[in-house]
Amino acid sequence: MLLILLTTPIQLLAQVKPHKYVDPRIGSEGQGRVFIGPSCPFGMIKPSPDCTVKSNSGWLPEPAPITGFGQVHVSGTGGGPKYGNILIMPFSDKLDSIDHSSMRQNEKMALGYYSVLLKKHQIKTEITTAEKAAIYRFTFPKQAAKALAIDAGFFLGEQPIPDAREAQQFVGSEIEVVSATEVRGYSRIRGGWNNGAAYTVYFDAMFDAPIDHLTSWKNKKLYPGVSQQFDSGEKTGVLLGFKNGSSDTLKVKVGISFISSGKAKENIAQEIPHWNFENVRAQVENKWDEMLSRIEINADATIEQKKMFYTSLYHTMLMPVNRTGENPLWNGNAPYYDDFYAIWDTFRSSNPLITLISPKRQINIVNALLNIYQHDGYMPDARSGNYNGRTQGGSNAEVLIADAYAKGLPGIDYNLALEAMLKDATVPPGGIEEKEGRGGLVEYNHLGYVPYHIPRAGNRTTDYAYEDYCIAMVAKGLNRTKVYNRFIKQADNWQNLWRNDYKDHGATGFIMPKDSAGKWLDDIPYGTANNQHPTFKYTPLSREYPWYVCHWCGFFYEATSWEYSLSIPHQVPVLIEKSGGKEAFKQRLDTLFENRFYNVDNEPSFLTPCLYHWIGRPGLSSRRIRQIVLDNFNTTATGLPGNDDSGAMSSWLAFQMMGFYPNAGQSYYLLNSPMLKQVTLHQENGTNFKITAHHLSAKNIYIQSAKLNGKALNQAWIEHADIIKGGDLSFEMADKPSAWGTQVLPPVKN
């Protein structure tokens, strides 16, 4: 008994739930733009403060005031804002003003929980959530009047210019006080970062105290005592005053739906049939613990490491959003997911990480893409508000399908998937290239590249070539020989924009612009004037926007030729040969990093630090990755170096901390030096895969040798099947590189 008592504190310390290490504030400021409010994994409702209409995720740091608390948000987006619908705001005053914005203090963010003190009326606000319904607890000063504003017309990204690009635009709203304890209505908005069609967020709100008096509004005009404002294309809302009882708190349950307000009410009944705030909070924590605990790290990892790692997993599972049963466009039992922002961002690391954490979830996500294809005609590259758009480069859903196929994910109709992939690759979208499909497809299939006059010609060509490779691999597995033969040949198309003799900073060969006649363009147009045609010299470091062309119109999207010319994930050995061989390629990579041409802020360079593997120098990959992490990631509010983009940036970090990284669309992972002493993947199939780094330290960052299940592993990569079977991967670490991983290079599959 004494022994049990003495050891209990240590055991309890070791049993700290992983959700305790999640810090939603990491990446909330600067370029990260992560969502800071409570959410279930892939949850549909995401309640959070909206600090004016200007934020992408709703929240902004002080001195921005809190305008209210919206129910739907996105995370990590870099384009125009989306959502911010159904704003509620407590206040303690007469019902004579719509705006009750307030400064704040004592703001707290935790997984599944948010709280703040609204300074204007000293009201403490607390929020937690279920999948499709949230619960608020407002604590007012003693004897203060309890009031609440519900604004069905508010949304993020509103601009005074009608139809401003990537701005959201108001369509309509409606609100109705149904009884002394219930209000319902909807908000209908269009536009946003994907320039989407109108979407409607329906809501139902319930209160644990009766309404005593009310004032509704339409188009800023107040209507005392009027309980309903129907949709006439104007903004509506209601101010509610509650009876003062013995309690100083007011609890509010808000359910949302994309089907109807009746469905929103049903969502409350199904998910939060009671008024127990702490019970709801415990449930969301448990849901996250079930997901986060699938990857266990060494108990003696530092608090910083635990926070960075588990927050990264958390960010990865905020989007896309599970809206199964909430699709207003068509009926059916198939999985339905929305808010893909964007597969161009997530295919490299977010989706492969989801595949490891929960392959069943990734299967549902892929099946949702196929379901969208069957009804809308194309799989999305991005989607939000039940509307495809915008494509940033290629049709990157192909990579998700190839990744699932290569890793043997069951329960997917791969024949249907190949059909959807071929639709992208063979049928031009017909003037809606920003919405879906492949822009410049006719030219690409005719010339073997996208010519310069078509926006994003450079990265579209490299993207399409890789996606054609993905098509070829799935076709090969399905014994579709003719399809395979065509697309494995098209996988070489990036070489049609490879200018062999172009030299820059000691490197030879770059992806460069070419016109439709096959002429290399040393000079490209300066702007789009009709009466004059100035040009400027194009180099591998050129960024045309915002000085020369629009952000969306450059030869490359969000990166330079120095970066994209190394982004050929399916033919790295060919890339090395065209760069002049292994030594020249090493010098090229060194130049990229040492001259800071590498941009950690964006996804096109995610695989680049690992490219040393293909020249037999995995130690250099590990050194570069470690330095990138140390220089750019931390646990502060600015701890992410770029837009998180639905967890893309965070999932990249999580992989690197574990010590392996996927080449998306293919079946293997590149092995790098772990930053954690031990990682155990507790897999859905019941097996465990453990990675142990012996003698790991700040100095011992190089892998000297490796063993897989007790047998020597001399290659710096493993197959997905090795992980799924379960087992042990162990590394011996030291302070200098060794011969490990220098001979057996990563596989090339044709």
Side-chain angles (χ1 to χ4, degrees):
M1 181 66 71
L2 179 61
L3 179 62
I4 292 173
L5 291 172
L6 289 173
T7 58
T8 295
I10 298 173
Q11 292 172 345
L12 291 176
L13 184 64
Q15 294 171 3
V16 173
K17 299 290 184 66
H19 81 262
K20 295 288 187 181
Y21 299 115
V22 172
D23 184 354
R25 191 179 289 273
I26 295 174
S28 60
E29 298 183 36
Q31 293 299 309
R33 297 181 178 177
V34 297
F35 170 74
I36 59 90
S39 172
C40 290
F42 307 97
M44 187 174 84
I45 193 169
K46 285 183 165 56
S48 179
D50 286 314
C51 304
T52 75
V53 300
K54 297 179 181 180
S55 171
N56 283 52
S57 64
W59 183 86
L60 288 171
E62 294 183 280
I66 290 179
T67 308
F69 301 91
Q71 314 311 310
V72 193
H73 298 91
V74 290
S75 183
T77 61
K82 193 79 174 185
Y83 301 131
N85 312 96
I86 315 302
L87 198 74
I88 70 173
M89 186 65 166
F91 64 100
S92 185
D93 210 342
K94 297 178 181 179
L95 310 187
D96 58 2
S97 174
I98 295 171
D99 183 11
H100 296 280
S101 299
S102 174
M103 303 307 288
R104 62 194 123 149
Q105 65 186 55
N106 299 333
E107 191 172 39
K108 297 178 182 178
M109 304 170 193
L111 178 146
Y113 176 79
Y114 170 88
S115 71
V116 69
L117 182 67
L118 300 172
K119 293 175 69 174
K120 186 174 183 179
H121 294 122
Q122 293 295 297
I123 302 169
K124 182 179 181 180
T125 296
E126 298 171 276
I127 318 172
T128 191
T129 190
E131 303 276 350
K132 300 171 184 175
I135 184 168
Y136 292 75
R137 182 166 61 193
F138 302 115
T139 303
F140 294 78
K142 290 186 181 299
Q143 303 305 313
K146 294 194 286 287
L148 185 73
I150 303 180
D151 189 343
F154 180 89
F155 58 93
L156 295 171
E158 183 174 17
Q159 294 185 20
I161 304 171
D163 294 316
R165 186 174 178 85
E166 294 198 14
Q168 289 202 107
Q169 306 292 332
F170 181 79
V171 177
S173 70
E174 187 166 294
I175 201 155
E176 178 185 7
V177 180
V178 181
S179 71
T181 56
E182 183 181 1
V183 174
R184 67 188 178 197
Y186 63 78
S187 171
R188 185 169 291 130
I189 309 296
R190 62 182 173 86
W193 61 266
N194 68 325
N195 297 316
Y199 64 90
T200 305
V201 179
Y202 297 90
F203 79 95
D204 189 89
M206 297 181 176
F207 321 107
D208 72 341
I211 299 168
D212 183 62
H213 52 294
L214 63 89
T215 294
S216 61
W217 79 78
K218 178 180 284 189
N219 196 24
K220 298 183 179 181
K221 184 178 179 180
L222 299 177
Y223 294 86
V226 177
S227 62
Q228 180 181 12
Q229 295 294 342
F230 65 87
D231 188 348
S232 58
E234 297 169 297
K235 295 181 180 181
T236 61
V238 66
L239 305 169
L240 306 171
F242 295 86
K243 290 183 179 179
N244 279 332
S246 58
S247 174
D248 295 320
T249 66
L250 171 68
K251 293 178 184 176
V252 181
K253 295 188 289 191
V254 181
I256 65 163
S257 171
F258 288 79
I259 302 292
S260 68
S261 56
K263 183 67 164 59
K265 183 175 182 178
E266 176 66 14
N267 289 339
I268 296 176
Q270 291 292 322
E271 297 184 351
I272 315 179
H274 51 77
W275 290 99
N276 191 326
F277 183 95
E278 299 303 335
N279 179 269
V280 179
R281 182 178 179 182
Q283 286 181 349
V284 68
E285 289 174 349
N286 289 338
K287 288 179 179 179
W288 277 109
D289 279 331
E290 198 276 327
M291 300 300 292
L292 297 173
S293 63
R294 295 188 182 182
I295 304 183
E296 179 185 355
I297 65 176
N298 52 294
D300 62 346
T302 68
I303 294 297
E304 292 279 306
Q305 288 176 322
K306 291 175 180 177
K307 282 187 175 183
M308 288 173 68
F309 184 74
Y310 283 112
T311 303
S312 293
L313 299 191
Y314 169 78
H315 286 157
T316 303
M317 292 184 278
L318 289 174
M319 292 167 61
V321 171
N322 184 4
R323 292 191 187 154
T324 303
E326 287 286 345
N327 183 356
L329 303 179
W330 59 82
N331 295 321
N333 296 320
Y336 181 68
Y337 280 72
D338 199 1
D339 292 336
F340 292 93
Y341 186 99
I343 298 175
W344 183 89
D345 299 280
T346 64
F347 80 80
R348 298 169 175 87
S349 55
S350 297
N351 292 100
L353 184 54
I354 293 170
T355 297
L356 286 175
I357 296 171
S358 177
K360 291 178 182 177
R361 178 77 66 169
Q362 184 62 18
I363 291 166
N364 284 342
I365 289 172
V366 172
N367 281 329
L369 295 175
L370 298 179
N371 187 239
I372 292 168
Y373 158 72
Q374 288 179 294
H375 290 88
D376 278 1
Y378 284 94
M379 295 183 292
D381 185 59
R383 185 178 179 89
S384 194
N386 306 303
Y387 187 85
N388 285 356
R390 303 169 17 182
T391 62
Q392 298 183 89
S395 47
N396 295 290
E398 272 91 289
V399 188
L400 266 62
I401 292 170
D403 198 72
Y405 187 79
K407 293 170 182 174
L409 296 191
I412 296 170
D413 185 343
Y414 287 106
N415 285 295
L416 175 64
L418 182 60
E419 175 188 305
M421 298 164 88
L422 290 172
K423 174 73 176 291
D424 283 334
T426 60
V427 181
I432 53 171
E433 290 81 0
E434 285 193 10
K435 180 185 177 187
E436 55 203 3
R438 295 187 181 184
L441 180 62
V442 172
E443 292 84 351
Y444 174 79
N445 283 338
H446 176 64
L447 299 171
Y449 63 92
V450 180
Y452 176 76
H453 70 276
I454 295 172
R456 307 185 299 289
N459 64 284
R460 275 175 159 161
T461 298
T462 56
D463 284 3
Y464 296 170
Y466 185 47
E467 288 142 18
D468 288 345
Y469 171 82
C470 291
I471 293 172
M473 291 297 98
V474 175
K476 182 179 182 180
L478 297 176
N479 296 315
R480 298 284 296 276
T481 304
K482 288 185 178 179
V483 175
Y484 167 78
N485 288 338
R486 171 183 170 178
F487 286 95
I488 198 65
K489 181 179 179 181
Q490 288 185 193
D492 296 337
N493 278 350
W494 63 274
Q495 299 181 43
N496 295 326
L497 286 185
W498 183 271
R499 194 166 176 179
N500 285 301
D501 60 348
Y502 198 100
K503 298 180 184 296
D504 188 74
H505 288 81
T508 301
F510 288 89
I511 303 288
M512 297 294 281
K514 182 189 285 186
D515 67 16
S516 55
K519 178 185 176 183
W520 294 112
L521 301 179
D522 292 308
D523 301 296
I524 60 175
Y526 184 117
T528 57
N530 293 322
N531 57 337
Q532 294 182 345
H533 304 282
T535 61
F536 73 97
K537 186 175 181 60
Y538 191 87
T539 76
L541 290 172
S542 292
R543 290 182 181 271
E544 300 113 294
Y545 52 87
W547 302 281
Y548 308 122
V549 296
C550 73
H551 174 80
W552 204 243
C553 307
F555 180 61
F556 284 122
Y557 179 67
E558 295 191 351
T560 67
S561 182
W562 257 96
E563 297 167 84
Y564 271 111
S565 296
L566 293 167
S567 185
I568 314 295
H570 59 303
Q571 293 184 349
V572 180
V574 178
L575 175 63
I576 293 169
E577 181 183 351
K578 295 181 79 67
S579 296
K582 290 184 177 181
E583 186 55 36
F585 193 69
K586 175 187 175 298
Q587 292 299 322
R588 182 181 192 129
L589 290 175
D590 290 345
T591 299
L592 176 85
F593 291 110
E594 290 165 10
N595 288 278
R596 299 188 177 182
F597 300 158
Y598 170 81
N599 181 12
V600 67
D601 295 1
N602 242 316
E603 289 78 8
S605 293
F606 270 16
L607 182 65
T608 307
C610 297
L611 294 183
Y612 290 100
H613 277 60
W614 275 271
I615 58 171
R617 301 292 299 275
L620 292 179
S621 294
S622 293
R623 191 180 78 189
R624 294 294 184 195
I625 290 165
R626 184 170 292 264
Q627 197 59 52
I628 291 167
V629 172
L630 291 175
D631 289 347
N632 297 280
F633 292 85
N634 56 64
T635 58
T636 70
T638 56
L640 292 175
N643 303 144
D644 199 39
D645 291 329
S646 301
M649 200 69 58
S650 292
S651 56
W652 183 91
L653 174 63
F655 270 118
Q656 305 302 358
M657 292 183 73
M658 290 189 290
F660 62 103
Y661 189 76
N663 191 354
Q666 303 178 62
S667 61
Y668 61 90
Y669 301 86
L670 302 164
L671 298 178
N672 299 305
S673 298
M675 298 178 192
L676 296 163
K677 293 178 182 177
Q678 192 170 87
V679 174
T680 304
L681 278 67
H682 302 291
Q683 302 181 91
E684 278 184 345
N685 66 5
T687 67
N688 294 325
F689 187 78
K690 183 186 293 184
I691 303 171
T692 306
H694 298 289
H695 308 115
L696 176 67
S697 68
K699 291 184 178 181
N700 293 344
I701 65 169
Y702 296 103
I703 299 172
Q704 296 297 291
S705 63
K707 289 183 179 180
L708 180 61
N709 299 325
K711 296 181 180 180
L713 180 71
N714 295 319
Q715 63 197 40
W717 52 275
I718 57 171
E719 289 286 349
H720 182 73
D722 295 325
I723 295 176
I724 297 305
K725 286 185 293 188
D728 292 277
L729 175 63
S730 63
F731 299 119
E732 290 294 332
M733 310 298 297
D735 60 355
K736 292 182 176 60
S738 70
W740 177 81
T742 61
Q743 300 301 314
V744 184
L745 304 182
V748 178
K749 299 179 181 180
N750 291 320

